Amino acid sequence: MEHLDITLDFETCALGADAAVIQMAAVAWNRHADYVHDVFTLRCEEGVINLSDENGSAYVPETFNFRFDLADQVFHGRKFSDGTLDFWANKQKAAVKDGILKAEMLPTYNVLYNFAEWVADLQKQVCAKSVCLWAQGTDFDMSILRHICEQYAVKIPSNIYKNFRDARTYIMEVGGAVTLTDANEAHRNSNSVYEEINKVLGEPSFSGCPHDALYDSMLTSRNTWYSMYLMNKFLKLSRIEKQGEQA
């Protein structure tokens, strides 16, 4: 496996890089999948990766999902905003809150350390040469990851730090250019691309709700994969057309 693609998502109590973090989730996915139901099936040259030991017990799961103990974040001065707290208290469905509360809670340092270890173990298991870490945008999840890891003295592995990827731009610009009849529609209505992708792929096969970090990371992965799939299909057709012209 050349690249290990992982999508990261945070749920927070504010919007800045120093926001207190409620939940951190991530999922590994396969950019070379031919079908949407294989997006979360990891492969290498030897074939499908079996993410379990010889006894069938969980070894390195392809998902990472933990809640943070907010008390130590209070002591570290991480920020809470009134608007975000109101969003969580009064504007979220019970199903979203229940989904987040199902995640195991650990001290902040432990969650961050475990994440770094999870990525390293998974990369080794799938024999990936590099890790691409995806998130929605460049100024939220990635800035929080940098800030909180520095604050808690958890080193981000260099092979991750050098390979951050912006899923939103990729989906909007690449996916939008291919899925929409009028590519400019992607700029006029940011929901258009996602609506078109859902029309083609249908409802997600995985459970959960928006604003649950695990669900959001999986949905972003699915949409990013489909944008890649469309681009590769377009490039393949272009090459075939060019070869036909040269024949």
Side-chain angles (χ1 to χ4, degrees), residues 131-226:
V131 177
C132 295
L133 189 62
W134 296 80
Q136 286 274 49
T138 60
D139 58 350
F140 186 71
D141 300 282
M142 297 308 186
S143 63
I144 291 172
L145 180 65
R146 287 192 181 99
H147 190 282
I148 199 168
C149 283
E150 180 178 353
Q151 187 176 37
Y152 281 84
V154 176
K155 185 177 180 180
I156 302 174
S158 60
N159 64 330
I160 300 176
Y161 198 88
K162 296 178 180 178
N163 288 295
F164 286 160
R165 297 289 190 271
D166 173 15
R168 179 182 291 119
T169 299
Y170 194 91
I171 295 166
M172 294 300 298
E173 300 302 328
V174 178
V178 180
T179 58
L180 297 175
T181 303
D182 179 2
N184 290 326
E185 179 67 18
H187 303 284
R188 292 199 299 269
N189 183 354
S190 61
N191 291 324
S192 298
V193 176
Y194 296 97
E195 290 172 356
E196 289 299 315
I197 291 175
N198 283 334
K199 286 179 184 178
V200 176
L201 299 181
E203 291 299 317
S205 58
F206 42 88
S207 60
C209 300
H211 298 296
D212 176 336
L214 183 58
Y215 176 88
D216 286 348
S217 64
M218 296 184 77
L219 188 64
T220 297
S221 301
R222 187 184 81 144
N223 291 341
T224 306
W225 165 82
Y226 187 61

Side-chain angles (χ1 to χ4, degrees), residues 6-10 24-27 115 133-136 141-142 145 213 217:
I6 293 175
T7 302
L8 168 73
D9 193 81
F10 286 113
M24 176 183 188
V27 60
F115 176 70
L133 189 62
W134 296 80
Q136 286 274 49
D141 300 282
M142 297 308 186
L145 180 65
S217 64

Side-chain angles (χ1 to χ4, degrees), residues 1 4-7 26-43 48-51 60-64 118 122 126 201 204-207 214-226:
M1 175 174 242
L4 171 60
D5 290 291
I6 293 175
T7 302
V27 60
W29 53 281
N30 177 16
R31 68 167 66 193
H32 299 295
D34 292 322
Y35 305 98
V36 66
H37 56 259
D38 286 333
V39 170
F40 300 112
T41 300
L42 303 185
R43 299 175 184 272
V48 177
I49 298 298
N50 182 6
L51 296 174
V60 182
E62 60 268 60
T63 60
F64 179 93
W118 175 75
L122 192 54
V126 302
L201 299 181
S205 58
F206 42 88
S207 60
L214 183 58
Y215 176 88
D216 286 348
S217 64
M218 296 184 77
L219 188 64
T220 297
S221 301
R222 187 184 81 144
N223 291 341
T224 306
W225 165 82
Y226 187 61

